[in-house]
Amino acid sequence: MTGRPTAHLAPAPSAGRLTVWQGAALYIGAVLGTGVIALPALAARAAGPASLLAWLGLVLLSVPLAATFAALGARYPDGGGVSTYVRHAFGRRAAAAVGWCFYFAVPAGTPAAGMFAGAYVATALGGGRRTVAVTAAVLLITVAVSNWFGLRVSGRLQLVLALLLVTLLLAAVAAALPHARAQNLQPFAPHGWSAIGSAAALLVWSFAGWEAITHLAADFRRPERDLPRAAAVAVAVVGVLYLAVAAAGVLVLGPAASTADAPLAELLALGLGTSVQVPAAAAALLLTLGTMNAYFAGAAKLGAALGRDGALPAWLARGSSAGEVPRRSLSLVTGLAAVALAVTTLVGVGPQPLVLLATGSFVTVYALGTAAAVRLLPRGGLPHRCALIALAAVAVLLAMTGRYLLWPLVVTAGALGYLRRRRRADSRRPDAAARAGDRGEADEPDADGAPGASRAAGAR
């Protein structure tokens, strides 16, 4: 039974519309963020040319992480994503907690990303904080409108964005390569070999996002085949792009790679003979729009699934099935993101508080998701071995997160409190038992981690 999807999780074969290439583009957008603009410099500052080993190590670690979530998505194609896997492995309370952590992290993280992009636009065009806020607002509106018309539109937009982004990054590398110098690799580890670990800790956030597309698994045409293929394409593309940009920065910029605020823009400017600000703004906008679009799509679907399962109000459940558009959930995510952007802009604190809120939440999602994979995936198989490696890597990441885990604890308390209030309200109604069975509230996972018999009996 372990690792097999229940009947109510498998969509009709023709319900999904996402292709392998659109899925790969969503993955690329979710993982490639604005960090590629600044993080190569931070890593080079921490470890010098040896930071390239940190990049390589994290690319290699992305393989089991992406494979783990792709395997889960192929077996449990449902809009709940990680929440669905955790429900099968650990029960509905843990599922509600991880679902809330992801769902309410997106309205915090996406405005922060928009403000980062807005800072690059303000540097290029002027206008200061007003330009930052307007740019972030325009990005929010763009991704909300794109997802309002469903994955057919947002998937195509993501494919165009991914093609433009790949072209831009490869152009930056190709334009700068004639200026590469092998002597820039010396000294290779100026701060010692242990500094590679420090560089990796900085870079690990550039590789977050492999869990985001699992919420769209049921919207693939053939999830069991297309989702792993999309993940494989994305791992290859992301790995090549990250390594190419990082290597070009070290080989071309040399010691200046550790002091450049935007090494990617420096590479473009060097190769094309332009100022740094304009290519930096263009890169930031493409990277941010792709990331926000992917996370909005995943969060909107997750909210509908949580409403369907009783972890959020049932009003949000419309759009939870494959091929449907979760407009109510999308509206809530957009509204919360707009409020977060407005508050941080009016108070003048910048994006840092939003980043801190999102950081611990996403690490918690990874930890519970990989733990669920270890329990659910067939033992002895390659996906299960990948899950073990991923869980070990996430455990290290969890230890490094430290105090940022306080916020997901608060969110978890909110999720559990909501479930208690919902249960008390339902218990006062005569048809409470039937509704609890429909939502799978009356059971916990069996000894093998598969859902209990009562869930199957109540499946819709």
Side-chain angles (χ1 to χ4, degrees):
M1 293 280 298
T2 302
R4 296 178 183 174
T6 54
H8 74 291
L9 289 179
S14 60
R17 296 176 177 177
L18 278 179
T19 66
V20 171
W21 293 108
Q22 288 174 337
L26 285 164
Y27 265 121
I28 292 169
V31 178
L32 276 178
T34 51
V36 74
I37 298 176
L39 284 180
L42 296 178
R45 190 177 307 160
S51 62
L52 296 178
L53 296 180
W55 283 102
L56 178 60
L58 288 170
V59 168
L60 294 176
L61 279 177
S62 290
V63 176
L65 197 60
T68 297
F69 285 109
L72 287 170
R75 287 166 172 77
Y76 300 88
D78 180 65
V82 178
S83 178
T84 295
Y85 319 145
V86 171
R87 185 177 74 238
H88 286 308
F90 307 119
R92 65 185 181 85
R93 294 179 183 85
V98 77
W100 277 46
C101 281
F102 186 98
Y103 190 68
F104 291 109
V106 171
T110 49
M115 294 172 76
F116 284 135
Y120 282 94
V121 175
T123 299
L125 303 180
R129 289 171 53 188
R130 177 176 296 181
T131 300
V132 171
V134 170
T135 301
V138 169
L139 289 172
L140 283 176
I141 293 171
T142 301
V143 297
V145 171
S146 168
N147 282 279
W148 185 266
F149 293 100
L151 285 174
R152 175 172 291 184
V153 173
S154 62
R156 289 175 179 173
L157 172 64
Q158 193 73 18
L159 188 57
V160 172
L161 289 173
L163 290 173
L164 289 173
L165 180 57
V166 170
T167 300
L168 176 67
L169 295 178
L170 292 179
V173 173
L177 274 182
H179 304 274
R181 299 292 182 269
Q183 57 264 34
N184 286 332
L185 292 173
Q186 301 298 327
F188 188 71
H191 307 298
W193 295 104
S194 62
I196 296 175
S198 300
L202 292 169
L203 297 177
V204 73
W205 306 113
S206 295
F207 292 86
W210 297 114
E211 83 295 344
I213 311 307
T214 59
H215 303 286
L216 308 176
D219 289 280
F220 281 81
R221 292 176 179 174
R222 292 180 58 183
E224 72 284 353
R225 180 199 67 177
D226 294 345
L227 187 61
R229 291 183 178 181
V233 171
V235 167
V237 172
V238 168
V240 168
L241 291 177
Y242 271 149
L243 290 174
V245 171
V250 170
L251 289 169
V252 173
L253 300 178
S258 63
T259 58
D261 292 330
L264 175 62
E266 296 276 4
L267 295 177
L268 272 172
L270 183 62
L272 303 179
T274 63
S275 65
V276 173
Q277 288 81 9
V278 173
L285 287 173
L286 284 177
L287 288 161
T288 305
L289 189 58
T291 300
M292 292 173 64
N293 191 56
Y295 271 95
F296 258 55
K301 205 69 174 181
L302 169 62
L306 293 175
R308 175 202 66 196
D309 296 336
L312 281 176
W315 178 83
L316 291 171
R318 180 175 295 180
S320 61
S321 299
E324 296 180 353
V325 183
R327 292 192 175 96
R328 292 178 177 179
S329 177
L330 175 65
S331 298
L332 178 58
V333 171
T334 304
L336 291 174
V339 170
L341 175 61
V343 170
T344 52
T345 299
L346 291 174
V347 176
V349 296
Q352 184 175 0
L354 299 178
V355 172
L356 297 180
L357 290 178
T359 294
S361 296
F362 285 125
V363 174
T364 303
V365 171
Y366 268 113
L368 287 173
T370 52
V374 169
R375 185 167 188 181
L376 293 176
L377 296 176
R379 297 181 183 276
L382 180 60
H384 188 263
R385 290 195 291 269
C386 287
L388 289 172
I389 297 172
L391 179 59
V394 172
V396 175
L397 176 59
L398 199 65
M400 293 190 300
T401 304
R403 64 182 182 275
Y404 300 151
L405 294 176
L406 291 175
W407 175 245
L409 288 177
V410 173
V411 174
T412 296
L416 297 179
Y418 176 83
L419 287 181
R420 284 194 296 270
R421 289 193 298 272
R422 181 74 175 261
R423 193 185 314 115
R424 285 198 297 266
D426 284 349
S427 67
R428 301 188 185 102
R429 302 174 186 175
D431 59 340
R435 281 196 307 276
D438 287 341
R439 290 195 304 265
E441 291 187 3
D443 63 342
E444 296 293 339
D446 60 25
D448 294 325
S454 59
R455 189 187 311 280
R460 285 175 285 185

